[in-house]
Amino acid sequence: MRRRIFFTIFFIALGTTVFWYTNIHLEVPHYSFAGAAAIGDARQKVMVTGHVAPKDVTADGSTLTFYMIDSTGAESKIFYDGQEQIDREKINAALAAKRTISVSGHSCGDRFHTSGISFQ
């Protein structure tokens, strides 16, 4: 009985420590579009925060293409093909309300490829 209690407490403490460590040390870094392009690594995910630019939003199947202006004022084409279904109306609503959005992904030539968009 004592052994079972000891192992239960040990694994709860281990799980709590692993959860704490991953939350503290595994954050996605925030960059501008220029900073993301300077990294040049398609495997490293970065986050860029900004506003939707007043340009066309194009939906083609499950992909979405629009333009975004980052915190430094630089504009970039955003190519979204994430799992969450985000439609043109949601991007246009963010543009109309001037909401801040964050995209997570990597710079890919003249565009930013993202698989995650969060609306603030």
Side-chain angles (χ1 to χ4, degrees):
M1 184 72 174
R2 287 178 146 194
R3 184 181 289 173
R4 183 180 303 166
I5 292 172
F6 173 74
F7 281 119
T8 302
I9 292 171
F10 172 76
F11 284 114
I12 289 172
L14 180 66
T16 303
T17 303
V18 168
F19 179 76
W20 170 79
Y21 181 81
T22 56
N23 281 336
I24 297 297
H25 296 288
L26 296 178
E27 292 185 16
V28 177
H30 290 264
Y31 287 99
S32 64
F33 288 125
I39 291 174
D41 185 6
R43 292 174 300 217
Q44 183 177 357
K45 185 181 267 191
V46 298
M47 186 170 287
V48 178
T49 303
H51 295 88
V52 178
K55 290 190 174 183
D56 289 336
V57 178
T58 308
D60 183 25
S62 63
T63 62
L64 190 66
T65 305
F66 62 97
Y67 288 84
M68 185 175 133
I69 300 170
D70 68 5
S71 58
T72 64
E75 183 178 278
S76 181
K77 185 177 190 178
I78 307 296
F79 180 79
Y80 172 76
D81 64 350
Q83 294 178 354
E84 183 182 348
Q85 194 67 15
I86 297 177
D87 56 4
R88 294 173 53 183
E89 288 76 27
K90 195 165 186 178
I91 300 295
N92 286 328
L95 171 62
K98 297 183 179 174
R99 291 176 56 194
T100 302
I101 66 170
S102 296
V103 292
S104 58
H106 61 273
S107 186
C108 186
D110 64 339
R111 62 188 169 98
F112 189 85
H113 182 245
T114 184
S115 58
I117 300 175
S118 62
F119 298 86
Q120 281 94 23

